[in-house]
Amino acid sequence: MKILLLNSPWVQTKTQYGVKAGSRWANIRNLKQNIMHYPFPFTLAYACSFLKSKGYEAVIKDAIAEGLSLDETMEFATQFRPEVVVLETCTPSIDTDLKFAERLKEAFSTTIILSGNHATAVPEQVLQNKAADFVILGNEFEFVLLELLEHPDNYKEIKGIAFRENGEIRVNERRELIKDLDILPYPERDSLPLHKYNDPFCKDYPNLPIISSRGCPFTCIFCLEPYVFYERSSLRTRSAKCVVDEMVCLVDKYQMKEPYFDDASFTNSMKSAREISQEILRRGLKMQWSCMGDPRADYETLKIMKEAGCVGLKFGVESADPQIRKTIQKPTTLEQVKNFVNACNRLGLYSHGTYMLGLPGETKESMYKTIDFAFSLNSTTCQFSIATPLPGTKYYEMAEKNDWLMTKDWSKYEGAGSSIIRVPGLTAEEILAAMKTVKKKRILQTLKRPRIGFNYLWKLYKMRGFVGTLEEIFQKTWFLLTG
């Protein structure tokens, strides 16, 4: 049986491209103003390698990272002629996703299975489209998909799916989560454009994401992890041996300069973080790596990570306003954030804080308080996004209940260039103006830090060459002068 696991095209123009599969926040990026970033499609890649290990002819196609148009992707699918297509959806791309599903269905009557955050959050809505046969719920569906392929006539009893039955839509209960993640093969990589999966935070290039765990123990109201992907406390870790074996594979087989742990947080389990670091040291491996972490990591944990080759951590702050942090159920404190960054600076670790503007309770004053905090924190770098309530999250429920949503046009829910909320005391225009202020401050901050600036340009040169580097310098200079 032929199965195609597809990250189908979305926005692709001469100046912009949209990223979705593998991204926490599907968004539209400026091609010439941002360093290249294509998220690694972990869910599809794990499902692909798992099916291949079970003897299926499974193929993954990341049309977005490959820069394929809808017509080119359709041509590939027509040549492969899959009997089943698993298509990952997200909220801002859902209309494009469903239209492409219709093209696939019309061309060769394949079984269409939708996955991803939007299909999981509102399966009743997406299954109104007759091109969709099934929805797989959640972000962990290797065994759900296998069971559906092995027992297609018994689909009504399969946990973790939604489907139509006699004109009615039925949503089954979720399947139990995988307890032992070590049983899964590494995600499919051989057939993917690995040089494209750059994380802008990483110090070196090429770099490539890896995960040491699944799930998150926290309940931040804006996050997909606890409400859409897993629905409950779900943190599970892989063994240190299994993780380090895969790191060696990334470095030796794929020639990656910097494995990057794209977990919800590598340090959610400090025990696991220390065990992985100790395993690297025990083997005497010399490699650099980085991770998504959080400010709860203590100095001793950070120290052993540094000794094992860690060069930097990305961490979520979201807001500097205490009441907003309480509302969004952020589990860390600003004091922890400050201590964490100080510890990173003492150890020589890069630190990269992430923030959101437009959260519940936000005002113009609190927004600029967060901006001032971010640029006074002395972290290496920082980034900002527009808080976007995605269907299925508590934030979305809150926004809908309080009439904060300005539109149900899903294409606007991408969190980079538009704001779709109107919280009391703050306009969408004020949020966008603050985002422009942030962008200027980030460029100026880099100019004041020659070492950081040089590292950025060196990485950019390795990715885009001399001409591409000059183009980006010109774009950022022009923005400073005219933006």
Side-chain angles (χ1 to χ4, degrees):
M1 180 182 290
K2 291 184 175 183
I3 300 100
L4 173 61
L5 299 111
L6 181 62
N7 184 22
S8 57
W10 180 24
V11 174
Q12 184 182 320
T13 69
K14 291 181 179 180
T15 59
Q16 293 182 316
Y17 65 100
V19 297
K20 50 175 187 164
S23 176
R24 290 177 176 84
W25 294 81
N27 63 90
I28 297 171
R29 299 178 62 82
N30 291 320
L31 195 60
K32 294 185 178 181
Q33 293 182 14
N34 293 315
I35 198 166
M36 180 185 74
H37 171 53
Y38 292 92
F40 186 80
F42 274 110
T43 304
L44 295 174
Y46 265 109
C48 183
S49 62
F50 182 73
L51 292 181
K52 288 171 71 173
S53 73
K54 301 298 181 182
Y56 285 91
E57 187 178 352
V59 169
I60 183 172
K61 196 68 172 176
D62 190 345
I64 289 180
E66 291 188 33
L68 301 181
S69 66
L70 289 166
D71 288 340
E72 289 170 330
T73 307
M74 191 67 200
E75 182 180 350
F76 172 83
T78 302
Q79 291 177 355
F80 182 56
R81 299 200 69 82
E83 296 159 79
V84 176
V85 175
V86 180
L87 196 156
E88 184 163 336
T89 70
C90 74
T91 297
S93 73
I94 188 61
D95 293 334
T96 303
D97 298 335
L98 290 174
K99 287 178 182 177
F100 193 70
E102 291 170 359
R103 288 184 66 179
L104 291 167
K105 179 70 77 173
E106 183 179 354
F108 35 89
S109 301
T110 186
T111 297
I112 303 289
I113 302 174
L114 301 181
S115 67
N117 70 283
H118 195 82
T120 296
V122 289
E124 298 89 350
Q125 289 184 21
V126 298
L127 284 169
Q128 296 293 331
N129 189 301
K130 297 300 189 289
D133 297 294
F134 299 97
V135 164
I136 293 187
L137 306 172
N139 206 36
E140 182 173 295
F141 57 73
E142 291 89 352
F143 284 96
V144 178
L145 181 56
L146 178 65
E147 189 174 357
L148 188 55
L149 296 175
E150 290 183 339
H151 306 287
D153 296 329
N154 195 39
Y155 65 86
K156 296 178 185 178
E157 307 305 320
I158 296 175
K159 292 181 179 180
I161 67 168
F163 53 90
R164 285 186 303 274
E165 181 183 18
N166 300 323
E168 300 292 325
I169 294 173
R170 180 173 150 189
V171 181
N172 287 355
E173 65 177 296
R174 295 287 189 99
R175 186 186 180 94
E176 297 79 8
L177 297 177
I178 301 170
K179 293 181 180 179
D180 181 9
L181 297 178
D182 285 4
I183 66 173
L184 297 173
Y186 302 159
E188 170 66 22
R189 292 189 174 101
D190 289 345
S191 58
L192 290 169
L194 299 186
H195 64 288
K196 288 288 191 74
Y197 300 116
N198 165 67
D199 193 288
F201 160 69
C202 292
K203 286 183 66 176
D204 212 340
Y205 176 84
N207 53 74
L208 194 62
I210 178 177
I211 56 173
S212 67
S213 64
R214 288 185 178 182
C216 181
F218 302 122
T219 56
C220 301
I221 68 169
F222 54 82
C223 186
L224 294 166
E225 292 269 343
Y227 304 109
V228 177
F229 289 154
Y230 298 108
E231 282 196 322
R232 54 194 178 275
S233 182
S234 55
L235 180 62
R236 291 142 297 139
T237 59
R238 299 167 60 195
S239 70
K241 180 183 182 306
C242 187
V243 171
V244 177
D245 284 348
E246 187 175 0
M247 293 176 74
V248 171
C249 178
L250 295 188
V251 173
D252 290 351
K253 180 179 180 180
Y254 300 112
Q255 304 301 303
M256 291 297 140
K257 301 288 187 182
E258 186 177 328
Y260 167 68
F261 286 100
D262 199 20
D263 304 40
S265 170
F266 180 74
T267 57
N268 264 341
S269 169
M270 281 187 274
K271 177 176 180 290
S272 175
R274 288 191 292 267
E275 287 176 347
I276 291 169
S277 300
Q278 288 163 348
E279 178 70 8
I280 293 171
L281 293 170
R282 186 187 67 79
R283 298 193 197 185
L285 300 174
K286 302 296 181 183
M287 63 173 75
Q288 71 174 27
W289 51 276
S290 52
C291 66
M292 185 78 185
D294 71 65
R296 298 174 309 125
D298 58 53
Y299 185 84
E300 290 306 315
T301 299
L302 293 173
K303 183 179 179 182
I304 191 173
M305 289 168 59
K306 166 73 173 180
E307 291 170 354
C310 181
V311 294
L313 295 92
K314 186 190 295 187
F315 60 100
V317 181
E318 323 319 343
S319 174
D321 185 273
Q323 184 55 49
I324 292 176
R325 293 176 64 80
K326 182 178 180 181
T327 300
I328 65 175
Q329 299 173 192
K330 194 67 184 175
T332 54
T333 67
L334 292 178
E335 193 62 28
Q336 286 176 315
V337 171
K338 293 175 183 177
N339 292 337
F340 171 81
V341 172
N342 288 337
C344 287
N345 289 338
R346 283 178 60 192
L347 291 166
L349 291 165
Y350 272 43
S351 58
H352 177 88
T354 64
Y355 303 82
M356 288 191 283
L357 302 180
L359 289 162
E362 190 86 272
T363 63
K364 189 173 181 179
E365 180 183 8
S366 68
M367 192 164 56
Y368 282 92
K369 179 180 180 180
T370 296
I371 293 172
D372 290 343
F373 177 84
F375 286 96
S376 66
L377 188 60
N378 203 28
S379 60
T380 312
T381 49
C382 63
Q383 73 181 60
F384 284 75
S385 61
I386 299 171
T388 304
L390 296 174
T393 65
K394 278 193 175 181
Y395 186 20
Y396 184 85
E397 292 177 9
M398 185 184 299
E400 193 168 41
K401 179 181 178 181
N402 291 285
D403 195 30
W404 294 343
L405 300 174
M406 295 192 297
T407 180
K408 286 291 184 73
D409 178 354
W410 298 128
S411 67
K412 305 295 186 184
Y413 283 60
E414 54 90 27
S418 61
S419 175
I420 53 85
I421 57 171
R422 48 173 173 237
V423 294
L426 187 68
T427 67
E429 290 75 19
E430 287 173 329
I431 295 174
L432 293 174
M435 288 291 287
K436 185 175 287 189
T437 296
V438 164
K439 187 171 182 179
K440 286 186 176 181
K441 289 177 77 70
R442 287 183 62 191
I443 296 172
L444 292 172
Q445 185 187 56
T446 302
L447 291 175
K448 294 176 182 177
R449 297 175 170 182
R451 182 173 64 90
I452 306 302
F454 177 79
N455 187 76
Y456 175 85
L457 291 175
W458 176 240
K459 181 180 171 184
L460 185 64
Y461 172 76
K462 290 201 287 185
M463 293 171 61
R464 295 180 57 185
F466 182 71
V467 174
T469 303
L470 286 181
E471 285 179 348
E472 179 138 343
I473 292 172
F474 174 79
Q475 290 286 344
K476 283 183 166 45
T477 302
W478 183 253
F479 176 78
L480 282 177
L481 295 174
T482 64

